[in-house]
Amino acid sequence: MTQIAGSPGNTMTLELWPGKAYPLGATYDGSGTNFALFSEAAEKVELCLFDTDGTETRITLPEVDGFVWHGFIPNIEPGQRYGYRVHGPYDPANGMRCNPNKLLLDPYAKAIDGHFDWDQALFGYNFGDPDSRNDDDSAANMPKCVVINPFFDWGVDRPPNHEYADSVIYEAHVKGLTQTHPDIPEQIRGTYAAVGHPAIIEHLTSLGITAIELMPVHHFANDSTLIEKGLSNYWGYNTIGFFAPDSKYSSNPNPGGQVQEFKAMVRALHEAGIEVILDVVYNHTAEGNHMGPTLSMRGIDNAAYYQLVDDDKRYYMDYTGTGNSFNVRHPHSLQLIMDSLRYWVTEMHVDGFRFDLASTLAREFYDVDRLATFFELVQQDPTVSQVKLIAEPWDVGPGGYQVGNFPPQWTEWNGKYRDTVRDFWRGEPATLDEFASRLTGSADLYEHTARRPVASINFVVAHDGFTLRDLVSYNEKHNEANGEDNNDGESHNRSWNCGVEGPTDDPEILALRGQQQRNFLTTLLLSQGVPMICHGDELGRTQGGNNNGYCQDNEITWIDWSTADKELLDFTRTVSRLRADHPVFRRRRFFSGKPVGRRGQGLTDIVWFTPDGAEMTGGDWDSGFGKSVGVYLNGHGIPDMDTRGQRVVDQSFLLCFNAHHEAIDFALPPEEFGASWEPVVSSAVPVAPEPGQSHPAGATVSVPARTVLVLRAE
């Protein structure tokens, strides 16, 4: 035991015990706090404790085991603010950037309080001279880590554990979803508490949502370049704290209060049967390239945490477009990721993760390797392997587009689904065969790795790109507000403005745009796989043609609840209920195309028809002008079992897709497929067809231009 005197002017006197090397981070046990920090580069590590007035007390950690520096201090309680200073070599050319003048955030901090002011003191060099060394003290310019209270009354909370096949995911931004909702108290709008508010939960449950996928909530840095333009990092893909929920989304003013508020949000969503999936960024950090600031891992052990250029280690490998790439080769970097994932599952009760630029995590060396160490660790982990794992299967490096190539345990954002469905409904030729593949679960992408249709996370729109309304309203991006002369964002959007660019009063154009939105939503919700809706698309949300709203924390990106398209919302609810009520739309296995036996009257589980009622042939699929197709889904051909081991049986459906600019007559199948057919959804109108309007087998039904018609066999 060691007595520690406070800094000059500070009367604090503390005891210092050796403590333990595990767990890493600051861990409060009811009597005091254990501090542990990994650094192989360090020669000495100082723990820095801060009083409420900013007074700093520095404590040299007394013990080091396996490159983990640690100590235990009795009576250090939740709310204590802290950071680290690491003494060691400063030799950028050899990848070493220790500088004890820079206060550093704990990579394992459970909460972070404050913000970066982007003073030169945050940088390891002097502006204008990147080869110089800057020894200005950065403590006054840095946020501080916070010791948290780990105790929380979860009550009877338990994960909903929805099967993938039964899931409907809702991608949302904490602030963008809630900032203008009239039924949420103003003081909590834009926060975790708002997401857990009954008004939001009721909206989600009315849509049949089973999981909300939150855009990054790990503590992130607001880019100085954006602040200079009067903008800010809205999306949050600039992480600097893998364990800490960002305080910007908290209505609790107490240091560390964001942790309690986040847990309360999860508990409320779980009570409503809604899972919580986090969009996580483990591929890079906010410290950027060699010109970036020294905020945390760069000053703790630069070479351990980042992939450096082999022949000149002052520079960083950049597969992410953000300046650096996390070093998934190093065991302690891998441990940091795995510890973070386990923490969010076990302590914060989240139900899964969507991994941003996941291909980067497979780059142990240069090439993408789906059997990289990270994926092996996930597969072997008894906690992480059991939650939902969703890959964004690309990065910006060579060979980074890896849709269909992730390990069997993983699901993927299916970018090919997005592109094909967009092309089909804007009338692009030669898309029919691929459209059929995407509609039925993308077996061409996933079946060869023994995966099932649920490996495909189907989406037409996500946060990155046009909203659904803008997808049918703009041919070109309109990102002028971002201050980059409209050069940022994707230029090839596969969008169609229906004849007029942007806002219009033309009733025919508006009607067509509404119909196209319904086409996309119907296709999405009735495709095999897991549908993902982007927040506000069911309400007709617009960003005014901005397809890169990453820096727009304002009305451009927030949902405007006062202008919600209630007809579109009701239509979305109708189609979502149809999906939920009928397992034929959410099969757990791919279609076989084989007869299903006596109960199925010898019919195959799926049949494709031309509009004239003939079964599709190879020539029909290869026809470049084909824009219309019918598909019969056999409700007796589902190879799934229910929880009691009984084979699932459903009604049969016929889906008639007409992407042509004119109405097409579809001949209904002969009587062996169904004696009569009742329309249940038509995207040509915003309301469900009147019940009882049946058509006999073999009859002809006119399907309007650019319409999907869903009929149920009777």
Side-chain angles (χ1 to χ4, degrees):
M1 181 179 70
T2 305
Q3 293 285 341
I4 304 167
S7 301
N10 179 10
T11 59
M12 179 190 300
T13 300
L14 302 169
E15 294 181 357
L16 177 63
W17 300 354
K20 297 180 180 180
Y22 186 86
L24 290 163
T27 306
Y28 174 70
D29 67 0
S31 63
T33 302
N34 190 79
F35 295 89
L37 179 77
F38 160 78
S39 177
E40 189 173 353
E43 296 167 355
K44 182 175 79 169
V45 171
E46 290 179 307
L47 169 67
C48 307
L49 303 178
F50 292 87
D51 289 348
T52 54
D53 63 0
T55 301
E56 177 182 355
T57 299
R58 301 186 188 182
I59 302 166
T60 299
L61 292 180
E63 302 287 335
V64 56
D65 294 300
F67 304 114
V68 175
W69 303 74
H70 55 91
F72 181 90
I73 305 178
N75 301 320
I76 292 292
E77 297 185 344
Q80 174 66 57
R81 299 160 77 237
Y82 74 98
Y84 288 105
R85 297 179 185 271
V86 174
H87 298 253
Y90 182 83
D91 183 4
N94 287 302
M96 295 178 284
R97 294 180 178 268
C98 297
N99 185 339
N101 297 297
K102 309 304 175 187
L103 185 74
L104 305 173
L105 295 176
D106 181 359
Y108 280 75
K110 308 301 190 303
I112 297 172
D113 180 48
H115 62 276
F116 307 96
D117 69 4
W118 299 113
D119 186 87
Q120 179 170 289
L122 296 181
F123 295 80
Y125 62 93
N126 298 296
F127 292 162
D129 185 6
D131 293 325
S132 63
R133 171 171 168 153
N134 181 325
D135 284 334
D136 293 344
D137 194 292
S138 67
N141 314 103
M142 285 282 293
K144 309 300 186 292
C145 307
V146 180
V147 176
I148 69 157
N149 181 354
F151 307 111
F152 180 78
D153 183 6
W154 283 103
V156 295
D157 181 71
R158 57 174 47 188
N161 280 332
H162 294 296
E163 294 287 339
Y164 267 120
D166 301 329
S167 297
V168 179
I169 298 174
Y170 191 82
E171 188 196 27
H173 187 282
V174 169
K175 188 172 185 180
L177 174 64
T178 64
Q179 184 64 25
T180 73
H181 199 294
D183 295 332
I184 296 176
E186 287 190 27
Q187 63 269 25
I188 67 168
R189 291 179 186 174
T191 69
Y192 306 120
V195 175
H197 189 274
I200 295 298
I201 290 177
E202 188 280 330
H203 179 73
L204 297 176
T205 54
S206 76
L207 284 168
I209 300 302
T210 65
I212 185 169
E213 182 180 300
L214 294 176
M215 291 176 65
V217 298
H218 287 178
H219 195 95
F220 63 90
N222 198 354
D223 313 56
S224 60
T225 54
L226 293 177
I227 294 174
E228 291 167 0
K229 295 179 182 179
L231 302 171
S232 64
N233 189 319
Y234 169 68
W235 284 352
Y237 292 95
N238 203 27
T239 302
I240 197 61
F242 292 156
F243 291 75
D246 201 300
S247 59
K248 290 186 282 291
Y249 302 137
S250 177
S251 61
N252 188 326
N254 299 317
Q258 63 266 41
V259 177
Q260 302 291 313
E261 186 171 332
F262 184 93
K263 290 179 177 180
M265 174 197 72
V266 172
R267 184 178 60 192
L269 289 165
H270 280 183
E271 287 175 357
I274 299 172
E275 295 177 318
V276 179
I277 298 172
L278 300 187
D279 190 340
V280 290
V281 186
Y282 293 115
N283 55 74
H284 74 279
T285 78
E287 292 187 292
N289 62 16
H290 64 288
M291 302 289 285
T294 298
L295 309 176
S296 179
M297 291 172 252
R298 170 172 283 147
I300 293 170
D301 196 326
N302 186 55
Y305 285 114
Y306 296 112
Q307 295 189 48
L308 307 178
V309 175
D310 287 338
D311 55 0
D312 192 344
K313 296 185 184 300
R314 81 185 65 201
Y315 301 114
Y316 296 79
M317 298 298 295
D318 182 11
Y319 300 116
T320 64
T322 60
N324 64 57
S325 300
F326 208 65
N327 186 7
V328 291
R329 304 184 221 173
H330 196 282
H332 278 279
S333 297
L334 284 169
Q335 180 187 356
L336 173 62
I337 296 175
M338 295 305 299
D339 285 350
S340 170
L341 293 170
R342 276 190 295 270
Y343 173 79
W344 285 98
V345 175
T346 59
E347 297 297 322
M348 308 295 270
H349 287 206
V350 305
D351 305 282
F353 306 94
R354 178 265 189 188
F355 292 81
D356 177 66
L357 301 181
S359 292
T360 304
L361 300 173
R363 292 184 185 273
E364 285 199 11
F365 296 96
Y366 180 78
D367 294 327
V368 176
D369 175 9
R370 73 183 183 93
L371 297 179
T373 304
F374 168 70
F375 298 99
E376 294 176 349
L377 289 175
V378 168
Q379 183 170 343
Q380 296 169 17
D381 190 279
T383 298
V384 179
S385 65
Q386 299 307 302
V387 301
K388 289 181 169 64
L389 303 171
I390 305 170
E392 182 186 33
W394 49 77
D395 65 16
V396 301
Y401 192 78
Q402 292 291 317
V403 173
N405 291 329
F406 274 70
Q409 192 170 22
W410 289 67
T411 64
E412 302 174 11
W413 270 26
N414 189 345
K416 292 186 177 181
Y417 180 95
R418 171 200 59 205
D419 297 345
T420 301
V421 171
R422 288 187 179 192
D423 280 347
F424 178 79
W425 282 116
R426 69 188 179 117
E428 286 294 293
T431 59
L432 203 57
D433 57 344
E434 188 168 0
F435 176 75
S437 178
R438 303 297 157 243
L439 186 73
T440 53
S442 297
D444 59 321
L445 298 177
Y446 304 114
E447 196 169 24
H448 70 284
T449 54
R451 286 189 281 177
R452 296 181 176 181
V454 295
S456 179
I457 305 297
N458 299 328
F459 68 105
V460 176
V461 164
H463 67 273
D464 188 1
F466 282 143
T467 68
L468 185 61
R469 179 175 167 185
D470 289 353
L471 185 68
V472 302
S473 304
Y474 295 90
N475 285 350
E476 308 295 335
K477 62 185 180 182
H478 296 269
N479 298 352
E480 291 80 7
N482 295 356
E484 299 181 42
D485 297 323
N486 206 34
N487 291 318
D488 61 307
E490 176 61 56
S491 296
H492 182 45
N493 293 283
R494 292 181 161 89
S495 61
W496 179 46
N497 63 18
C498 297
V500 174
E501 185 75 356
T504 180
D505 294 326
D506 188 319
E508 292 186 3
I509 298 294
L510 292 174
L512 178 55
R513 288 177 177 177
Q515 188 167 328
Q516 286 287 76
Q517 290 175 78
R518 295 192 293 272
N519 284 332
F520 284 122
L521 287 165
T522 303
T523 305
L524 174 66
L525 287 166
L526 300 186
S527 294
Q528 306 298 324
V530 181
M532 185 186 78
I533 299 171
C534 185
H535 81 205
D537 281 345
E538 76 283 5
L539 303 168
R541 183 175 76 92
T542 179
Q543 292 183 171
N546 190 319
N547 74 350
N548 191 30
Y550 78 103
C551 58
Q552 300 294 336
D553 185 6
N554 50 48
E555 291 82 359
I556 290 176
T557 53
W558 302 340
I559 292 177
D560 183 354
W561 290 88
S562 68
T563 61
D565 184 337
K566 293 182 172 55
E567 284 189 339
L568 185 61
L569 174 59
D570 288 340
F571 181 87
T572 308
R573 289 168 173 163
T574 295
V575 183
S576 183
R577 280 196 299 271
L578 184 67
R579 175 187 179 86
D581 290 343
H582 294 283
V584 75
F585 297 117
R586 42 188 175 83
R587 292 165 51 105
R588 288 165 169 78
R589 292 172 175 81
F590 290 109
F591 292 98
S592 68
K594 298 177 182 178
V596 296
R598 179 175 56 83
R599 293 182 65 189
Q601 302 172 0
L603 299 174
T604 58
D605 55 5
I606 185 171
V607 182
W608 297 92
F609 291 103
T610 64
D612 62 9
E615 291 193 30
M616 293 281 287
T617 66
D620 296 320
W621 290 116
D622 295 336
S623 172
F625 56 82
K627 299 179 182 178
S628 304
V629 67
V631 57
Y632 166 78
L633 306 181
N634 189 341
H636 290 273
I638 304 172
D640 303 329
M641 300 287 182
D642 62 21
T643 55
R644 297 172 297 174
Q646 301 297 312
R647 183 171 291 277
V648 174
V649 177
D650 193 11
Q651 294 173 288
S652 298
F653 287 83
L654 179 69
L655 282 64
C656 301
F657 294 93
N658 179 22
H660 199 265
H661 66 277
E662 294 179 342
I664 297 287
D665 286 339
F666 275 75
L668 299 179
E671 192 168 353
E672 62 190 270
F673 290 87
S676 62
W677 295 89
E678 179 189 9
V680 291
V681 169
S682 172
S683 64
V685 291
V687 294
E690 289 292 332
Q693 297 180 353
S694 297
H695 304 279
T700 298
V701 176
S702 179
V703 179
R706 301 187 177 94
T707 293
V708 53
L709 175 65
V710 182
L711 304 106
R712 179 170 51 211
E714 296 182 313

